[in-house]
Coordinates of all heavy atoms in Angstrom, one line a residue:
H1 N 0.8 -1.2 0.0 CA 0.0 0.0 0.0 C 0.9 1.3 0.0 O 0.6 2.2 -0.8 CB -0.9 0.0 1.2 CG -1.8 1.2 1.4 ND1 -2.8 1.5 0.5 CD2 -1.7 2.2 2.2 CE1 -3.4 2.6 0.9 NE2 -2.7 3.1 1.9
V2 N 1.9 1.3 0.8 CA 2.8 2.4 0.9 C 3.5 2.6 -0.4 O 3.6 3.8 -0.9 CB 3.8 2.3 2.1 CG1 4.9 3.3 2.0 CG2 3.0 2.4 3.4
I3 N 4.0 1.6 -1.0 CA 4.8 1.7 -2.2 C 3.9 2.1 -3.3 O 4.2 3.0 -4.1 CB 5.5 0.3 -2.5 CG1 6.6 0.1 -1.6 CG2 6.0 0.3 -4.0 CD1 7.3 -1.3 -1.7
T4 N 2.7 1.5 -3.4 CA 1.8 1.9 -4.5 C 1.3 3.3 -4.3 O 1.3 4.0 -5.3 CB 0.5 0.9 -4.4 OG1 1.0 -0.4 -4.6 CG2 -0.5 1.3 -5.5
K5 N 1.1 3.7 -3.1 CA 0.7 5.1 -2.9 C 1.8 6.1 -3.3 O 1.5 7.1 -4.0 CB 0.4 5.3 -1.4 CG -0.5 6.4 -1.1 CD -0.9 6.4 0.4 CE -1.9 7.4 0.7 NZ -2.3 7.4 2.1
R6 N 3.0 5.7 -3.0 CA 4.1 6.6 -3.3 C 4.4 6.6 -4.8 O 4.6 7.7 -5.4 CB 5.4 6.1 -2.6 CG 6.6 7.0 -2.9 CD 7.7 6.7 -2.0 NE 7.4 7.1 -0.6 CZ 8.0 6.6 0.4 NH1 9.0 5.8 0.3 NH2 7.7 7.0 1.7
L7 N 4.2 5.5 -5.5 CA 4.5 5.4 -6.9 C 3.4 5.9 -7.8 O 3.6 6.5 -8.8 CB 4.8 3.9 -7.3 CG 6.0 3.3 -6.8 CD1 6.1 1.8 -7.2 CD2 7.3 4.0 -7.3
L8 N 2.1 5.9 -7.3 CA 1.0 6.3 -8.1 C 0.5 7.7 -7.7 O -0.1 8.3 -8.6 CB -0.1 5.3 -7.9 CG 0.1 3.9 -8.5 CD1 -1.1 3.0 -8.2 CD2 0.4 3.9 -9.9
R9 N 0.7 8.1 -6.5 CA 0.1 9.4 -6.1 C 0.5 10.5 -7.0 O -0.3 11.3 -7.5 CB 0.4 9.7 -4.6 CG -0.2 11.0 -4.2 CD 0.2 11.4 -2.8 NE -0.3 10.5 -1.9 CZ 0.2 10.4 -0.6 NH1 1.0 11.3 -0.2 NH2 -0.3 9.5 0.2
Q10 N 1.8 10.7 -7.2 CA 2.3 11.9 -7.9 C 1.8 11.8 -9.4 O 1.2 12.8 -9.9 CB 3.8 12.0 -7.8 CG 4.3 13.2 -8.5 CD 3.9 14.5 -7.8 OE1 4.0 14.6 -6.6 NE2 3.5 15.5 -8.5
P11 N 2.0 10.7 -10.1 CA 1.6 10.7 -11.5 C 0.1 10.9 -11.7 O -0.4 11.6 -12.6 CB 2.1 9.3 -12.0 CG 3.1 8.9 -11.1 CD 2.8 9.5 -9.8
L12 N -0.7 10.2 -10.8 CA -2.1 10.3 -11.0 C -2.6 11.8 -10.5 O -3.5 12.3 -11.1 CB -2.8 9.3 -10.1 CG -2.7 7.9 -10.6 CD1 -3.4 6.9 -9.7 CD2 -3.2 7.7 -12.1
G13 N -1.9 12.3 -9.6 CA -2.2 13.7 -9.2 C -1.9 14.7 -10.3 O -2.7 15.6 -10.6
D14 N -0.8 14.4 -11.0 CA -0.5 15.3 -12.2 C -1.6 15.1 -13.3 O -2.0 16.2 -13.9 CB 0.9 14.8 -12.8 CG 2.0 15.2 -11.9 OD1 1.9 16.0 -11.0 OD2 3.1 14.6 -12.1
L15 N -2.0 13.9 -13.5 CA -3.1 13.7 -14.5 C -4.4 14.4 -14.1 O -5.1 15.0 -15.0 CB -3.3 12.2 -14.8 CG -2.2 11.6 -15.7 CD1 -2.3 10.1 -15.7 CD2 -2.3 12.1 -17.1
M16 N -4.7 14.3 -12.8 CA -6.0 14.9 -12.4 C -5.9 16.4 -12.5 O -6.8 17.1 -13.0 CB -6.2 14.6 -10.9 CG -6.7 13.2 -10.7 SD -8.2 12.8 -11.4 CE -9.3 13.9 -10.6
E17 N -4.7 17.0 -12.2 CA -4.5 18.5 -12.3 C -4.6 18.9 -13.8 O -5.3 19.9 -14.1 CB -3.2 18.9 -11.8 CG -2.9 20.3 -11.8 CD -3.8 21.2 -11.0 OE1 -4.4 20.7 -10.0 OE2 -3.9 22.4 -11.2
A18 N -4.0 18.1 -14.7 CA -4.1 18.4 -16.1 C -5.5 18.3 -16.6 O -5.9 19.1 -17.5 CB -3.1 17.5 -16.9
T19 N -6.2 17.3 -16.2 CA -7.6 17.1 -16.6 C -8.4 18.4 -16.2 O -9.3 18.8 -17.0 CB -8.2 15.9 -16.0 OG1 -7.4 14.8 -16.4 CG2 -9.6 15.6 -16.4
R20 N -8.2 18.9 -15.0 CA -8.9 20.1 -14.6 C -8.6 21.3 -15.5 O -9.5 22.1 -15.9 CB -8.5 20.5 -13.1 CG -9.2 19.6 -12.1 CD -9.0 20.3 -10.7 NE -8.9 19.3 -9.6 CZ -7.9 18.5 -9.4 NH1 -6.9 18.4 -10.2 NH2 -7.9 17.7 -8.3
H21 N -7.3 21.4 -15.9 CA -6.9 22.5 -16.8 C -7.6 22.3 -18.1 O -8.2 23.3 -18.7 CB -5.4 22.5 -17.0 CG -4.7 23.2 -15.8 ND1 -4.5 24.5 -15.7 CD2 -4.1 22.6 -14.7 CE1 -3.8 24.8 -14.6 NE2 -3.6 23.6 -14.0
I22 N -7.6 21.1 -18.7 CA -8.2 20.9 -20.0 C -9.7 21.2 -19.9 O -10.3 21.7 -20.8 CB -7.9 19.4 -20.5 CG1 -6.4 19.2 -20.7 CG2 -8.7 19.1 -21.8 CD1 -5.8 20.0 -21.8
A23 N -10.3 20.7 -18.8 CA -11.8 20.9 -18.7 C -12.2 22.4 -18.7 O -13.3 22.8 -19.1 CB -12.3 20.2 -17.4
T24 N -11.3 23.3 -18.2 CA -11.6 24.7 -18.2 C -11.1 25.4 -19.4 O -11.1 26.6 -19.5 CB -10.9 25.3 -16.9 OG1 -9.5 25.2 -17.0 CG2 -11.5 24.8 -15.6
G25 N -10.5 24.7 -20.4 CA -10.1 25.3 -21.6 C -8.6 25.7 -21.7 O -8.2 26.3 -22.7
N26 N -7.9 25.3 -20.7 CA -6.4 25.6 -20.7 C -5.7 24.5 -21.4 O -5.2 23.5 -20.7 CB -5.9 25.8 -19.3 CG -4.4 26.1 -19.3 OD1 -3.8 26.3 -20.3 ND2 -3.9 26.1 -18.1
F27 N -5.6 24.5 -22.7 CA -5.0 23.4 -23.5 C -3.5 23.5 -23.5 O -2.8 22.6 -24.0 CB -5.5 23.4 -24.9 CG -7.0 23.1 -25.0 CD1 -7.9 24.1 -25.2 CD2 -7.5 21.8 -24.7 CE1 -9.3 23.9 -25.2 CE2 -8.8 21.6 -24.7 CZ -9.7 22.6 -25.0
A28 N -2.9 24.6 -22.9 CA -1.5 24.7 -22.9 C -0.8 23.9 -21.8 O 0.4 23.7 -21.8 CB -1.1 26.2 -22.7
H29 N -1.6 23.5 -20.8 CA -1.1 22.8 -19.6 C -0.6 21.4 -20.1 O -1.3 20.7 -20.8 CB -2.2 22.6 -18.5 CG -1.6 22.0 -17.3 ND1 -0.9 22.7 -16.4 CD2 -1.6 20.8 -16.8 CE1 -0.5 22.0 -15.4 NE2 -1.0 20.7 -15.6
R30 N 0.6 21.0 -19.6 CA 1.1 19.7 -19.9 C 1.4 18.9 -18.6 O 1.7 19.5 -17.6 CB 2.4 19.8 -20.7 CG 2.2 20.4 -22.1 CD 1.4 19.5 -23.0 NE 1.2 20.1 -24.3 CZ 0.1 20.7 -24.7 NH1 -0.9 21.0 -23.8 NH2 -0.1 21.2 -25.9
V31 N 1.3 17.6 -18.8 CA 1.6 16.7 -17.6 C 3.1 16.4 -17.7 O 3.7 16.0 -18.7 CB 0.8 15.3 -17.8 CG1 1.2 14.4 -16.6 CG2 -0.6 15.6 -17.8
P32 N 3.8 16.5 -16.5 CA 5.2 16.2 -16.5 C 5.4 14.6 -16.7 O 4.7 13.9 -16.1 CB 5.8 16.6 -15.2 CG 4.6 16.9 -14.4 CD 3.4 17.1 -15.3
V33 N 6.3 14.2 -17.6 CA 6.5 12.8 -17.9 C 7.8 12.5 -17.0 O 8.9 12.9 -17.3 CB 6.8 12.5 -19.4 CG1 7.1 11.1 -19.6 CG2 5.6 13.0 -20.2
R34 N 7.5 11.7 -15.9 CA 8.6 11.5 -15.0 C 9.4 10.2 -15.3 O 10.5 10.1 -14.9 CB 8.0 11.4 -13.6 CG 7.3 12.7 -13.2 CD 6.7 12.6 -11.8 NE 5.9 13.7 -11.5 CZ 6.3 14.9 -11.1 NH1 7.5 15.2 -11.1 NH2 5.4 15.9 -10.9
K35 N 8.7 9.2 -15.8 CA 9.3 7.9 -16.1 C 8.9 7.4 -17.4 O 7.9 7.9 -18.0 CB 9.0 6.9 -15.0 CG 9.6 7.2 -13.7 CD 9.2 6.2 -12.6 CE 9.8 6.5 -11.3 NZ 9.5 5.5 -10.3
A36 N 9.5 6.4 -17.9 CA 9.2 5.8 -19.2 C 8.3 4.5 -19.0 O 8.3 3.7 -19.9 CB 10.4 5.4 -20.0
D37 N 7.6 4.4 -17.9 CA 6.7 3.3 -17.6 C 5.3 3.5 -18.2 O 5.1 4.5 -19.0 CB 6.7 3.0 -16.1 CG 6.2 4.2 -15.3 OD1 5.9 5.2 -15.9 OD2 6.1 4.0 -14.1
E38 N 4.4 2.7 -17.8 CA 3.0 2.9 -18.3 C 2.4 4.2 -17.9 O 1.7 4.8 -18.7 CB 2.1 1.8 -17.7 CG 2.4 0.4 -18.2 CD 3.5 -0.3 -17.5 OE1 4.1 0.2 -16.5 OE2 3.9 -1.4 -18.0

């Protein structure tokens, strides 16, 4: 649980933040690509 939370929290949080920006019309916002995994 701790490892999954640590590994998934930041990337999923980034995607959620970017989704909020896109939903409000801010298409310039980009998600940081931190790793070359899924």
Side-chain angles (χ1 to χ4, degrees):
H1 177 71
V2 167
I3 289 172
T4 301
K5 201 172 187 180
R6 183 170 290 161
L7 291 176
L8 295 178
R9 179 185 298 166
Q10 185 68 43
L12 291 179
D14 291 343
L15 282 168
M16 287 298 296
E17 180 67 19
T19 302
R20 282 191 214 69
H21 281 275
I22 297 295
T24 60
N26 178 7
F27 297 105
H29 186 81
R30 296 294 180 261
V31 179
V33 179
R34 300 180 191 282
K35 294 183 181 178
D37 59 359
E38 288 83 4

